[in-house]
Amino acid sequence: MATNKNKQLSRRAFMRNTALAGGGMVIGFNLLQSCKQKVIVEPPVDLSLLDYKDFNAFIKIAENGVVTIFSPNPEIGQGVKTSMPMIIAEELDVAWNNVHVVQGKLDQVNFTRQVAGGSQSIRHGWDALRETGAKAKAMLVQAAANRWGIEASQCSVNEGVISNTINKETLGYGDVVLEAAQLEVPEEVTLKAPKDYKIIGNDAPNVDIDEIVTGKPLFGLDYKAEGMVYAAVVRPPAFGQKLKSFDATKAKDMPGVIDVVTIGEKARKLIEAQPNIAGILSSSDKIVVIAETTWQAFKAKEAIQAQWEDDTKMESTDDHNKALTDLLNGSEFNTMREDGNVDKAFAEADEIVERTYEAPFLPHNCLEPMNFYADVSDSKVHLVGPIQTPAWKAGAVSAMLDRKPEEIELEMTRMGGGFGRRLYGDFTLEAAEISDKIRKPVKVVYTREDDMNDGIYRMATKYKIKAGIKGGRVTAYHLKEAAVNSNMYGLIPHFFPAGAIENYKVDVASYKSNITTGAWRAPYTNFLAFAEQHFFDELAEILEVDKIQMRIDLLQKVNADADENIAYSPERMIEVIKTAVDKSGWGTKPSNVYQGFVNYYCHNSHVAEIADVEIENGTPVVKKVTCVVDCGIVVNPLGAKNQAEGGVIDGIGHSMYGDFNFENGKPLASNFDKYRLIRMKEAPEVEVHFVQNELSPTGLGEPTLPPAGGAIANAFKAATGNRLFQQPFTKNPELLKVKETKEIIG
């Protein structure tokens, strides 16, 4: 049903700026309910002179009918630069092939969430983006109606052409754009019903695909500016060290080297002023080679002779394992949720099942190494590069350099991967501090070794899960988490099986380490999904019940209406489960195919995955994964399928192979010769199905990754008889071998 919308975007929120010269109208709009007063600017002589910083995003319609949409959110490969403009174009009612998409800049006045993270861009922008397009369309239709002397209701629109339903005359958007720019923005508009969508729900290629495949400049590494120099940074070789002294004589004599300087003082002041930055920045001085090219900077960096001294404890993987084990066995926990009386239920249980699962640190390993451009001058600080949190980093640069926020100008480039690594922007701060010191435009570029050795890693984690069984059913459930530098409490306690088991408790504990940690694709759930879902499969075997039916039975006990903290929908979860069973041929495959099932909820979406494995040379090999997703309305099915497939393969690869260890504070892998990623020949077929409904969109960049590890682990158990408790699975290769059966005589 079409709806009238007037809840979130008022006339004040839907700002407008007209540009009459140059034949166009620019409408600024707010994705997330800005409250700035409406602004009218006198039209410039040249449209290019329009001061875009007053807007958070724009629709520009030229007299030839071409529509330009400025996309505000960072593009990290998740497709928002395509899908967000699609939403606007749908309600604007223009032909998608007539739309030109441009990346917007950071605008802290008019945006409230210019962030790529948490799979939230489409979810948060859905209503506002639609209303933006609908209000622009209403103004254009009204302008045409005024010219014809009829009511707007006597007009219809199709792909940017307005028709007079009385005498069949037509006008293009470009024909009336100048008059439309003079009109008041309407308070209320009618949004399309999903059945009337022409763009949403249809495949659209990535708007940057031509530039990507032809090598046009799009990414941070591509950015160049006049007079720009390059910087390579020598950082502490181990976590817990600081710079003692160095000799740069050889480096300064090398070709192309401009200077060798140190930075760190301003970063230390920032750490003191903003403690939330402390976890991603070293307090040590760093040595910086300034050169004419990246290669010259990298080679000169190798010639630096530096002396380092221990500043804090030099930790190894064994230290972390012991610390996490001690936490799990201790009593110092932060209880995140507690239902019923867990202790009493365990005391009365007929049987108790307890298992511990563990996963290592993981680097992000984006295809495009970290890099950023900065040009600090007396008048402004110009920043350009790939960043997931532009506002956060602009604020940090402002504080670090003691500059006014309005002096910071940040432009976003497309990112060659992020996965959470580019949330933190330590490279942005380095670039700004270097440019401030040398007063030249500079680009900091990491080598692959820099990227892996000075990363912000997924935290090493251990889970202890205990279940009590009484009378043939699960009556108690206790999840304990111990993680390194855990700082995201609250992501997990209200997910399944919360609400399904009457005595339920979630406890968390953190071990403080000097190794920098942070979000990694699908934070927390990327490993928790395997642990919990592998545990549920084992419970079903102990109870001698059907694995899938057990989950459905638990879901049917959930009363989400009575518990506002329950994050998931049991009804939607049951639907993805049943769809996955149907689409995967669960239980009907030939005897040489072993299947593993998982259902999971995260990032506001419900997913079920079923993995098919076969035995080759005594070892199970993943052949196919059937993935069913309920993420509401799918804006761009082509992009959505790519995201779902990528999440599954990423989840399989890191569950199987991802391992990253430390010795005395130093990473033991610095490149792909020692760090294993999934290979193309190891990637299985991924068959994706979306549940069709008319519910608002939810996350998709991350939700298909967490279930993948559990699905293949459960399939491996079916094939080998062995249970897995540690990632990566290849760390214990004997568990990936089929058990030999021995004949027992007499």
Side-chain angles (χ1 to χ4, degrees):
M1 180 183 294
T3 57
N4 288 325
K5 299 285 294 182
N6 188 34
K7 292 181 180 179
Q8 298 183 7
L9 280 178
S10 66
R11 178 182 288 121
R12 296 173 67 187
F14 187 84
M15 297 174 300
R16 171 165 58 92
N17 196 331
T18 62
L20 306 184
M25 171 178 70
V26 175
I27 300 177
F29 64 95
N30 188 336
L31 289 180
L32 293 171
Q33 298 87 48
S34 167
C35 293
K36 182 177 177 180
Q37 297 287 342
K38 183 175 68 175
V39 177
I40 302 296
V41 177
E42 290 298 318
V45 176
D46 184 342
L47 188 62
S48 66
L49 299 179
L50 189 65
D51 186 3
Y52 290 133
K53 72 180 182 181
D54 279 347
F55 306 94
N56 43 22
F58 309 91
I59 301 171
K60 180 170 71 177
I61 303 175
E63 285 187 285
N64 63 4
V66 173
V67 176
T68 298
I69 297 176
F70 291 78
S71 183
N73 276 33
E75 175 55 63
I76 198 175
Q78 82 282 42
V80 295
K81 192 175 176 183
T82 302
S83 53
M84 294 179 92
M86 287 176 70
I87 297 169
I88 298 168
E90 178 67 73
E91 293 290 349
L92 185 59
D93 213 336
V94 293
W96 180 244
N97 59 8
N98 253 2
V99 173
H100 180 57
V101 178
V102 175
Q103 178 67 60
K105 297 180 181 180
L106 171 66
D107 180 351
Q108 297 189 71
V109 174
N110 302 313
F111 282 124
T112 59
R113 197 184 185 276
Q114 271 183 291
V115 174
S119 299
Q120 297 297 299
S121 294
I122 297 298
R123 177 172 174 260
H124 278 278
W126 174 246
D127 287 338
L129 288 167
R130 289 187 298 154
E131 191 167 342
T132 292
K135 288 193 172 184
K137 171 185 171 182
M139 294 165 68
L140 291 157
V141 170
Q142 187 62 58
N146 292 347
R147 184 182 293 190
W148 285 322
I150 61 176
E151 296 295 322
S153 60
Q154 295 173 305
C155 300
S156 63
V157 180
N158 182 43
E159 295 190 338
V161 177
I162 307 166
S163 298
N164 182 327
T165 59
I166 297 175
N167 59 23
K168 309 305 180 186
E169 290 185 28
T170 61
L171 290 168
Y173 278 176
D175 297 325
V176 295
V177 67
L178 301 182
E179 294 102 311
Q182 307 299 319
L183 301 176
E184 285 291 314
V185 179
E187 289 280 1
E188 292 188 11
V189 287
T190 299
L191 301 180
K192 286 185 177 181
K195 66 180 179 61
D196 297 323
Y197 289 160
K198 300 175 183 177
I199 296 174
I200 293 174
N202 291 296
D203 291 345
N206 189 313
V207 294
D208 287 335
I209 192 64
D210 290 342
E211 287 80 1
I212 291 171
V213 299
T214 57
K216 299 272 190 343
L218 278 173
F219 300 91
L221 281 174
D222 298 325
Y223 186 81
K224 291 183 174 67
E226 185 176 352
M228 184 180 80
V229 296
Y230 293 87
V233 181
V234 182
R235 304 173 182 86
F239 290 91
Q241 289 186 323
K242 65 180 181 181
L243 182 64
K244 182 178 181 180
S245 63
F246 71 98
D247 183 353
T249 304
K250 291 182 180 179
K252 288 183 177 181
D253 289 339
M254 294 178 71
V257 174
I258 299 169
D259 201 357
V260 177
V261 300
T262 61
I263 59 169
E265 180 182 354
K266 292 184 181 296
R268 286 191 292 275
K269 290 181 179 179
L270 178 61
I271 292 172
E272 294 174 3
Q274 296 190 14
N276 66 319
I277 299 291
I280 65 167
L281 292 179
S282 168
S283 61
S284 172
D285 281 339
K286 302 173 185 177
I287 310 162
V288 183
V289 176
I290 309 297
E292 295 173 0
T293 68
T294 52
W295 180 250
Q296 291 168 335
F298 291 162
K299 296 305 291 182
K301 173 184 171 182
E302 295 173 2
I304 298 287
Q305 297 177 344
Q307 301 295 319
W308 306 89
E309 60 183 354
D310 295 352
D311 183 36
T312 57
K313 182 182 177 184
M314 310 288 286
E315 298 170 330
S316 299
T317 295
D318 288 344
D319 297 322
H320 299 126
N321 284 333
K322 182 180 184 305
L324 296 181
T325 298
D326 289 346
L327 279 175
L328 282 182
N329 294 330
S331 58
E332 296 298 320
F333 284 92
N334 184 0
T335 298
M336 302 306 300
R337 179 175 176 128
E338 185 171 12
D339 299 340
N341 189 328
V342 171
D343 293 337
K344 182 174 182 292
F346 280 125
E348 297 174 351
D350 300 328
E351 183 177 359
I352 293 175
V353 182
E354 183 175 277
R355 299 289 182 263
T356 299
Y357 304 85
E358 61 183 82
F361 291 96
L362 285 181
H364 295 80
N365 284 314
C366 309
L367 182 62
E368 176 192 21
M370 301 303 108
N371 66 91
F372 223 80
Y373 167 89
D375 183 11
V376 179
S377 64
D378 291 339
S379 59
K380 70 174 182 177
V381 177
H382 184 204
L383 305 170
V384 184
I387 183 72
Q388 292 178 241
T389 51
W392 182 27
K393 284 288 86 61
V397 169
S398 172
M400 183 178 71
L401 301 183
D402 195 22
R403 301 291 293 262
K404 297 177 181 178
E406 58 267 27
E407 293 177 342
I408 312 297
E409 179 185 349
L410 192 150
E411 298 181 52
M412 293 169 281
T413 63
R414 191 178 183 94
M415 289 172 250
F419 314 114
R421 176 63 181 91
R422 286 189 162 99
L423 287 170
Y424 301 97
D426 43 317
F427 39 85
T428 307
L429 299 171
E430 287 179 345
E433 187 172 2
I434 294 167
S435 181
D436 184 59
K437 185 156 194 171
I438 67 174
R439 284 300 168 125
K440 290 179 182 291
V442 63
K443 180 188 284 187
V444 169
V445 181
Y446 283 40
T447 63
R448 177 60 59 191
E449 289 77 10
D450 291 334
D451 217 9
M452 292 184 73
N453 290 349
D454 197 61
I456 297 174
Y457 311 99
R458 182 187 80 171
M459 60 197 72
T461 306
K462 290 189 179 184
Y463 289 111
K464 181 181 284 187
I465 309 178
K466 184 166 70 169
I469 297 172
K470 185 175 179 60
R473 66 186 186 90
V474 179
T475 56
Y477 188 93
H478 190 185
L479 171 65
K480 286 185 176 181
E481 174 197 85
V484 175
N485 296 334
S486 177
N487 59 1
M488 289 179 282
Y489 297 151
L491 287 178
I492 57 174
H494 307 303
F495 291 5
F496 180 78
I501 300 170
E502 55 267 39
N503 302 293
Y504 174 81
K505 189 175 183 181
V506 176
D507 284 333
V508 292
S510 177
Y511 169 71
K512 185 172 178 56
S513 170
N514 54 39
I515 292 173
T516 51
T517 61
W520 188 92
R521 190 175 184 182
Y524 268 90
T525 58
N526 57 62
F527 170 53
L528 177 60
F530 150 69
E532 286 198 306
Q533 289 291 310
H534 202 48
F535 185 73
F536 271 110
D537 253 34
E538 185 171 3
L539 287 179
E541 289 181 2
I542 292 170
L543 291 168
E544 297 182 340
V545 298
D546 182 85
K547 299 170 184 176
I548 293 178
Q549 190 59 48
M550 183 187 78
R551 291 167 167 91
I552 292 175
D553 290 345
L554 286 170
L555 286 163
Q556 288 176 336
K557 294 173 61 178
V558 179
N559 185 349
D561 292 334
D563 185 348
E564 62 182 13
N565 290 320
I566 296 295
Y568 61 95
S569 162
E571 294 79 15
R572 295 175 77 173
M573 186 69 83
I574 290 171
E575 184 171 8
V576 297
I577 290 173
K578 291 182 176 180
T579 305
V581 168
D582 176 57
K583 299 295 184 182
S584 68
W586 175 262
T588 65
K589 294 294 179 78
S591 60
N592 67 319
V593 177
Y594 302 88
Q595 293 185 300
F597 169 85
V598 164
N599 64 279
Y600 207 70
Y601 167 90
C602 67
H603 298 87
N604 310 103
S605 292
H606 301 76
V607 179
E609 293 180 16
I610 294 177
D612 295 357
V613 307
E614 298 178 20
I615 303 298
E616 295 182 359
N617 300 318
T619 301
V621 177
V622 184
K623 293 294 186 179
K624 180 179 180 181
V625 174
T626 303
C627 175
V628 177
V629 184
D630 181 353
C631 59
I633 292 172
V634 178
V635 176
N636 181 8
L638 177 62
K641 181 183 177 184
N642 291 340
Q643 284 291 291
E645 290 175 342
V648 170
I649 292 172
D650 200 9
I652 293 173
H654 284 90
S655 296
M656 286 289 294
Y657 310 112
D659 198 12
F660 200 76
N661 298 293
F662 294 84
E663 186 66 41
N664 294 324
K666 184 177 176 61
L668 295 181
S670 60
N671 213 313
F672 296 126
D673 59 333
K674 293 184 179 179
Y675 182 77
R676 178 82 152 83
L677 290 171
I678 192 170
R679 294 170 180 142
M680 291 182 69
K681 66 179 181 180
E682 295 164 338
E685 174 190 355
V686 181
E687 181 181 300
V688 180
H689 301 274
F690 293 101
V691 173
Q692 300 298 314
N693 57 45
E694 296 185 359
L695 301 172
S696 296
T698 53
L700 190 55
E702 293 162 292
T704 65
L705 183 150
I712 64 172
N714 288 339
F716 289 165
K717 167 58 172 63
T720 68
N722 298 321
R723 290 220 165 269
L724 300 164
F725 299 97
Q726 185 180 44
Q727 290 187 357
F729 301 149
T730 51
K731 195 164 190 173
N732 298 292
E734 69 280 1
L735 296 179
L736 296 179
K737 295 292 184 181
V738 177
K739 285 184 178 178
E740 294 183 5
T741 58
K742 296 181 179 180
E743 185 178 357
I744 301 175
I745 302 175

